[in-house]
C-alpha cells in the first residue's frame, strides 16, 4: 500500500510534461539531436532526418541508416519525401539525393547526374509524376522520361537560384516556390512568374516554408518578417510582431491542421499557433520544449504533431489535448510499474472501470481492451523493444503514459 500511495502521489503531481513526449539521444536511439525533417508512410512508419543519419521508426523500433551501414552518401539529411510507390526520396547537405525502395539505394550527385548542386533541401511530385527538387543552385525538374531541366536565376524569371521550399498545388499543378532572397515564384507548364519586394506587396524576399489553406491562399514562413500571405485574388498581407500577436518575425516552418489552424515553428520562440486572429506560443519558459529553435513540423496519419528541434531532438504532441489542457495534474489518474518493462507491466489506477489501448509513437493502435479494478496487468512480451503509449479512457477523456519496452 505504501508503494501504491507513492505511485499515485507521483501521478497527481506530474506537471504539463504529460502533454509532450520527447525523444533525444539521451532517452532513445536517435543518433543526433538536430532534427531537420519528418515524414510518414501510410502505415504510420516514421522517417526522421538528422545531422547524423536517417531514422526509421516502425512499431516503436528505431533503425538508423548512415554512410557506414547503408547507401547514403551523406549523413546530414535535409528532406524526406515518400512517393506513391512508397520509395523514400532523401535530400542531403553534401551528398545530393538518394532514392531508397526499402532494398536498394540509388544516388544522384553533381558527379553522376545533371544536379546543379549537392545540397538538396526539398523534393516534391506534381500531378504528372514529375519530380521537383530545391537546391542551392537552382530549381530542378525530372519528368517520367528522365528528362532533366534546371532553372536558374540568370536564364529564367527566377530571382534567386537558392531554392528553399516547393509546394505543389494539386488543384492546378502549379509549383509554388519559395527562395532565399528571390521572393516567391509560381511555376506552371509554360512560364514562371516571380514576386519580390520590388514588384509586389510581398513582405520578405526569403521564404522558408509554404502551405495553402482551403480558400487557396498561400501562407509562407519568413525568417525576418513573420507570416507572409498571398491572398487568393486580393493581393498580399503579413503578420509580424508590429501588427499582430505573433511574438517573433523569425519563422522556419508552418503547417495547417485538419481544422485550418496554423501551426508555426520559429527560430527563437518555440511553437506558435495561429487560430483565427489569436496567437499562442509554447517555448522553454512555459512548456517542456528544451529548445526554442523549431526546425520542422509534421502531422502523422493519426493526427499527432511531430516537432523537430535544432538541439533537443523531437517531440510528439496531441494538439487536441494540448489545447484543451486535458492533462491537468489533478486528472492524471494512473501509472505504469515497472517502467521500463520486459514482459509484464502493472497498470495502477484510481479508476475502477475503464477502457485502454496501447499505441506506437505514431498513434497506431497495437492492443485495446477493458479493465476493472485499480490494479491490472498488461502482457507486453510480444511487443518489440521500443517506445509505446498506454492510453486510458474514462468519462470520454483519454489519459496517456509513455511505456518503455526493453
Amino acid at each position: 500500500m505504501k508503494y501504491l500511495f507513492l505511485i499515485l502521489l507521483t501521478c497527481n503531481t506530474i506537471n504539463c510534461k504529460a502533454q509532450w513526449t520527447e525523444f533525444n539521444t539521451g532517452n532513445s536511439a536517435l543518433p543526433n539531436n538536430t532534427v531537420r525533417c519528418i515524414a510518414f508512410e501510410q502505415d504510420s512508419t516514421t522517417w526522421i532526418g538528422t545531422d547524423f543519419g536517417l531514422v526509421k521508426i516502425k512499431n516503436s523500433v528505431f533503425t538508423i541508416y548512415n554512410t557506414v551501414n547503408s547507401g547514403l552518401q551523406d549523413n546530414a539529411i535535409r528532406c524526406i519525401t515518400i512517393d506513391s510507390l512508397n520509395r523514400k526520396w532523401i535530400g542531403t547537405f553534401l551528398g545530393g539525393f538518394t532514392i531508397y525502395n526499402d532494398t536498394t539505394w540509388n544516388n544522384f550527385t553533381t558527379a553522376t547526374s545533371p544536379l546543379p548542386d549537392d545540397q538538396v533541401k526539398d523534393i516534391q511530385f506534381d500531378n504528372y509524376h514529375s519530380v521537383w527538387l530545391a537546391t542551392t543552385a537552382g530549381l530542378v525538374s525530372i519528368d517520367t522520361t528522365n528528362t532533366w531541366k534546371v532553372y536558374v536565376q540568370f536564364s529564367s524569371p527566377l530571382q534567386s537560384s537558392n531554392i528553399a521550399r516547393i509546394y505543389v498545388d494539386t488543384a492546378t499543378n502549379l509549383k509554388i516556390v519559395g527562395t532565399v532572397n528571390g521572393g516567391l515564384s509560381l511555376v506552371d507548364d509554360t512560364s514562371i512568374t516571380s514576386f519580390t519586394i520590388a514588384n509586389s506587396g510581398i513582405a520578405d524576399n526569403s521564404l522558408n516554408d509554404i502551405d495553402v489553406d482551403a480558400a487557396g491562399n498561400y501562407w509562407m514562413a519568413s525568417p525576418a518578417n513573420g507570416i507572409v500571405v498571398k491572398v487568393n485574388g486580393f493581393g498580399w498581407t503579413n503578420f509580424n510582431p508590429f501588427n499582430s500577436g505573433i511574438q517573433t518575425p523569425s519563422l522556419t516552418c508552418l503547417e495547417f491542421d485538419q481544422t485550418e489552424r496554423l501551426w508555426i515553428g520559429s527560430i527563437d520562440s518555440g511553437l506558435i499557433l495561429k487560430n483565427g486572429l489569436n496567437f499562442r506560443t509554447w517555448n522553454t519558459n512555459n512548456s517542456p520544449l528544451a529548445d526554442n529553435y523549431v526546425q520542422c513540423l509534421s502531422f502523422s496519419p493519426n493526427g499527432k504533431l511531430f516537432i523537430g528541434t535544432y538541439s533537443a531532438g523531437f517531440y510528439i504532441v496531441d494538439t487536441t489535448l494540448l489545447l484543451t489542457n486535458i492533462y491537468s495534474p489533478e486528472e492524471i489518474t494512473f501509472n505504469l510499474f515497472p517502467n521500463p518493462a520486459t514482459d509484464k507491466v502493472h497498470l495502477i489506477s484510481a479508476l475502477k472501470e475503464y477502457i485502454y489501448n496501447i499505441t506506437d509513437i505514431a498513434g497506431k493502435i497495437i492492443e485495446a481492451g477493458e479493465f476493472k479494478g485499480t490494479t491490472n496487468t498488461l502482457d507486453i512480451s510480444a511487443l518489440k523493444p521500443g517506445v509505446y503509449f498506454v492510453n486510458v479512457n474514462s468519462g470520454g477523456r483519454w489519459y496517456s503514459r509513455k511505456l518503455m519496452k526493453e
Side-chain angles (χ1 to χ4, degrees):
M1 288 299 295
K2 175 182 178 181
Y3 295 110
L4 175 59
F5 172 76
L6 289 175
I7 291 170
L8 292 178
L9 179 62
T10 302
C11 296
N12 288 330
T13 56
I14 286 176
N15 59 23
C16 66
K17 289 185 178 180
Q19 302 174 33
W20 302 68
T21 304
E22 179 182 5
F23 295 85
N24 54 45
T25 55
N27 68 8
S28 74
L30 196 70
N32 184 263
N33 282 330
T34 301
V35 174
R36 302 277 183 175
C37 49
I38 303 170
F40 303 94
E41 298 182 33
Q42 287 303 310
D43 67 354
S44 295
T45 297
T46 306
W47 293 85
I48 296 176
T50 78
D51 272 4
F52 204 73
L54 177 68
V55 182
K56 174 185 177 182
I57 309 174
K58 184 177 179 65
N59 297 326
S60 295
V61 178
F62 284 63
T63 304
I64 313 302
Y65 301 98
N66 53 46
T67 55
V68 175
N69 66 6
S70 76
L72 282 173
Q73 299 295 295
D74 184 16
N75 286 328
I77 311 301
R78 289 297 180 265
C79 64
I80 308 164
T81 304
I82 302 173
D83 68 15
S84 59
L85 299 177
N86 208 39
R87 296 176 299 181
K88 274 59 71 174
W89 295 65
I90 305 152
T92 71
F93 181 59
L94 294 174
F97 71 97
T98 298
I99 306 172
Y100 178 51
N101 67 0
D102 295 322
T103 304
T104 59
W105 306 77
N106 195 8
N107 297 298
F108 299 82
T109 67
T110 53
T112 62
S113 74
L115 195 67
D117 187 82
D118 281 326
Q119 184 177 161
V120 177
K121 297 189 285 186
D122 196 13
I123 303 174
Q124 299 297 331
F125 308 96
D126 69 14
N127 294 354
Y128 302 111
H129 305 291
S130 292
V131 185
W132 292 82
L133 302 101
T135 80
T136 55
L139 175 69
V140 181
S141 71
I142 311 169
D143 68 16
T144 55
T145 67
N146 201 36
T147 299
W148 292 59
K149 292 182 181 179
V150 180
Y151 304 87
V152 297
Q153 179 177 359
F154 299 108
S155 61
S156 78
L158 284 176
Q159 298 301 297
S160 171
S161 296
N162 192 346
I163 311 301
R165 190 67 70 219
I166 306 165
Y167 182 99
V168 177
D169 186 345
T170 55
T172 62
N173 203 39
L174 190 69
K175 275 63 69 176
I176 307 167
V177 179
T179 72
V180 177
N181 296 323
L184 177 72
S185 291
L186 304 182
V187 182
D188 62 20
D189 296 331
T190 58
S191 64
I192 299 175
T193 305
S194 293
F195 302 90
T196 66
I197 291 174
N199 69 5
S200 73
I202 196 170
D204 195 342
N205 279 336
S206 292
L207 304 167
N208 287 329
D209 201 6
I210 303 166
D211 204 357
V212 178
D213 65 19
N217 305 310
Y218 305 160
W219 295 75
M220 293 157 279
S222 154
N225 207 357
I227 305 171
V228 178
V229 188
K230 188 178 189 301
V231 184
N232 191 8
F234 293 97
W236 302 83
T237 191
N238 173 232
F239 299 89
N240 60 52
F242 299 102
N243 65 15
S244 73
I246 196 168
Q247 293 185 4
T248 177
S250 304
L251 308 182
T252 57
C253 53
L254 48 76
E255 185 164 349
F256 283 101
D257 65 18
Q258 293 183 345
T259 62
E260 291 284 292
R261 293 177 300 216
L262 185 64
W263 296 86
I264 308 155
S266 72
I267 293 174
D268 54 11
S269 297
L271 176 68
I272 303 166
L273 169 65
K274 182 183 183 297
N275 191 7
L277 295 177
N278 299 315
F279 289 86
R280 184 174 174 183
T281 301
W282 292 267
N283 53 42
T284 55
N285 293 325
N286 67 359
S287 80
L289 269 177
D291 184 6
N292 283 330
Y293 196 155
V294 173
Q295 298 199 115
C296 60
L297 299 172
S298 186
F299 281 96
S300 74
N302 302 94
K304 299 290 181 67
L305 178 62
F306 282 58
I307 305 166
T309 72
Y310 181 77
S311 65
F314 71 96
Y315 295 78
I316 305 175
V317 177
D318 187 322
T319 58
T320 302
L321 304 183
L322 185 67
L323 293 175
T324 57
N325 294 318
I326 190 169
Y327 290 117
S328 68
E330 294 75 22
E331 291 180 315
I332 301 298
T333 55
F334 80 97
N335 205 2
L336 304 174
F337 182 81
N339 191 9
T342 303
D343 297 317
K344 297 183 184 298
V345 61
H346 304 294
L347 196 160
I348 303 171
S349 173
L351 303 171
K352 294 183 179 180
E353 186 173 350
Y354 54 90
I355 61 174
Y356 76 92
N357 64 43
I358 301 175
T359 64
D360 64 15
I361 67 170
K364 180 181 178 181
I365 296 177
I366 298 168
E367 176 185 328
E370 182 177 351
F371 275 147
K372 294 183 179 181
T374 57
T375 303
N376 291 278
T377 301
L378 292 167
D379 184 350
I380 61 169
S381 58
L383 297 182
K384 295 180 180 179
V387 180
Y388 299 86
F389 293 94
V390 177
N391 309 291
V392 167
N393 186 301
S394 177
R397 288 190 168 188
W398 284 98
Y399 310 92
S400 184
R401 290 266 184 236
K402 184 168 71 172
L403 169 65
M404 301 292 294
K405 165 65 190 293
E406 292 182 332

